[in-house]
Amino acid sequence: MTTTTSTTPARPAARRPEPRARGRLTPTQRILLRAVLLTLLAVAATFVLDPYRNYQLAVVAATFCATAGLTLLVGLTGQLSLGHAVLMAAGGYGYALAANAAAGAGLDGDGPAGVARVVLGLGGALVASGAVGGLLGLAGARLRGPYLAGLTLAMVVALPALTTQVPALGGDQGLAVPFEGVPQALSRLIVVEQWHAWLAIAVAALAVTPLALLRSGRAGLRMRAVHGDETAARLAGVSPGRVKVGAFVASSLAAGLGGAVLCLVTQSIGPGRYDLAFSLLLVVAAVVGGLGSLGGAAAGAALVVLLPWLVDTVTAAVGVPADLEQRLSGNLAVLVFGALLIVVTLAWPGGLARAVARRPRPRPRPQPRGRTDAPATPPQPSER
């Protein structure tokens, strides 16, 4: 009697996902932890800066919000916007209208009332900039290349005419906003400029951290897919129109918060501050810093704010004649920006962020021929 054995191979067991090691942070947790540490570091830096430097830090934080949104929009989706200053203006006007309405309703003074007024103003900035950004995003989903850039450029040019046609926006003079003083509990510790710097840093963290999460998540992958090939993205189930509109809205919200911070710090909002030159400087800051890099956006924002001040300081120290200094006022900074853009584009096409990421690493020292890395075997004692 013979027995037969089955020769059917056993199915391999399904591979279970390896559990995450204890103590290892997820990408989202790393981004949040980095945001908290950088925010605390920036707040600590305000204690070693004088009032004017704290004012400059607040302006840098406001500009950082706009450049971060712009670098995400252009670097990840390829939508070129030359009118991000309009989105900052929308946020500034939204903040001014909401803050003035809150002050008229009884939320005046410092302390909890002042904090509530700032929160309501930021909400108004988000609503106004989100609405404008949504309309531009719908148009951007249908326009490509220079057509979208021309549309946003036209909005910057039309901003002064729009403000004169709407009486609630204050015309060419703009609107004034309530002064935000230091709360009573902190009045003995910090001054007004430092308090404004704290508010600007906190708002910048709230504006940029969602962009970092968006960039590192699935939404960022969809943006890169649409930027690479819209047809292939559509075949993969990604809607290019939705991705473009979402990117434009996210970028607009960040820029609107930047405009709100700038309005809070300067205590006014007017169309003259958001002209074509300022809008182009935002693009230069994003390109010099590195498209798609939030760290590069921070470096570009610092250049936009500090480079004109540095040029004026050097010009005054050199002792340029008064008539020549008057003619160079404002124009020399633009010339330096143009030269810097050319140098960075030629030396590091990816911007300053790419230049830092591609630092040359030390090469290993070559070993002489015939030499091996195996340890030498000690001589064994001979047996007698």
Side-chain angles (χ1 to χ4, degrees):
M1 182 176 179
T2 60
T3 58
T4 59
T5 58
S6 175
T7 60
T8 304
R11 294 182 179 179
R15 186 177 181 181
R16 297 180 179 180
E18 297 181 359
R20 184 170 59 89
R22 294 183 178 180
R24 183 177 300 177
L25 300 178
T26 63
T28 300
Q29 292 174 340
R30 286 198 296 268
I31 291 175
L32 295 177
L33 179 60
R34 189 183 301 117
V36 172
L37 293 178
L38 291 176
T39 302
L40 294 178
L41 181 62
V43 170
T46 60
F47 287 95
V48 298
L49 299 176
D50 56 51
Y52 181 67
R53 298 294 179 270
N54 279 319
Y55 166 77
Q56 287 183 322
L57 179 60
V59 177
V60 169
T63 310
F64 176 41
C65 296
T67 54
L70 184 60
T71 192
L72 180 80
L73 181 67
V74 182
L76 268 64
T77 64
Q79 300 181 91
L80 179 58
S81 172
L82 300 179
H84 249 54
V86 174
L87 299 174
M88 291 189 70
Y93 277 110
Y95 176 87
L97 294 174
N100 289 332
L107 292 177
D108 52 353
D110 302 330
V115 174
R117 185 171 58 246
V118 171
V119 172
L120 291 176
L122 294 177
L126 289 175
V127 171
S129 60
V132 177
L135 294 176
L136 287 177
L138 292 175
R142 299 176 178 271
L143 301 176
R144 295 182 180 180
Y147 300 103
L148 176 60
L151 175 63
T152 55
L153 184 64
M155 292 196 64
V156 177
V157 176
L159 179 62
L162 177 63
T163 56
T164 57
Q165 295 299 323
V166 181
L169 299 182
D172 294 335
Q173 302 299 324
L175 298 174
V177 298
F179 173 73
E180 303 300 339
V182 183
Q184 187 66 27
L186 300 174
S187 59
R188 296 183 179 182
L189 180 64
I190 59 177
V191 295
V192 174
E193 292 80 4
Q194 192 173 357
W195 171 243
H196 288 173
W198 284 15
L199 293 176
I201 293 169
V203 174
L206 294 176
V208 178
T209 303
L211 296 181
L213 296 173
L214 193 69
R215 177 177 175 270
S216 63
R218 294 184 178 180
L221 294 177
R222 295 189 183 98
M223 292 179 188
R224 294 182 179 92
V226 171
H227 189 194
D229 192 336
E230 291 190 14
T231 303
R234 190 178 292 107
L235 293 176
V238 178
S239 174
R242 292 182 180 179
V243 171
K244 290 183 176 181
V245 173
F248 222 114
V249 171
S251 177
S252 303
L253 293 177
L257 288 177
V261 170
L262 198 59
C263 179
L264 183 151
V265 172
T266 59
Q267 303 174 30
S268 64
I269 174 68
R273 185 178 294 116
Y274 304 97
D275 54 1
L276 178 59
F278 179 72
S279 188
L280 295 179
L281 281 181
L282 294 178
V283 179
V284 171
V287 173
V288 171
L291 293 175
S293 171
L294 296 179
L303 284 176
V304 167
V305 177
L306 299 180
L307 192 58
W309 165 78
L310 182 61
V311 170
D312 293 339
T313 303
V314 173
T315 302
V318 171
V320 179
D323 55 345
L324 181 60
E325 183 178 359
Q326 185 177 2
R327 283 181 291 178
L328 292 178
S329 179
N331 298 325
L332 184 58
V334 175
L335 179 62
V336 173
F337 272 119
L340 181 62
L341 178 61
I342 294 174
V343 171
V344 172
T345 304
L346 293 178
W348 308 292
L352 298 178
R354 188 68 58 86
V356 174
R358 290 186 176 182
R359 289 180 298 180
R361 298 180 179 178
R363 297 181 179 181
R365 297 176 60 183
Q367 298 181 356
R369 294 182 179 180
R371 181 178 177 180
T372 60
D373 294 334
T377 304
Q380 300 294 333
S382 60
E383 297 181 358
R384 293 184 179 179

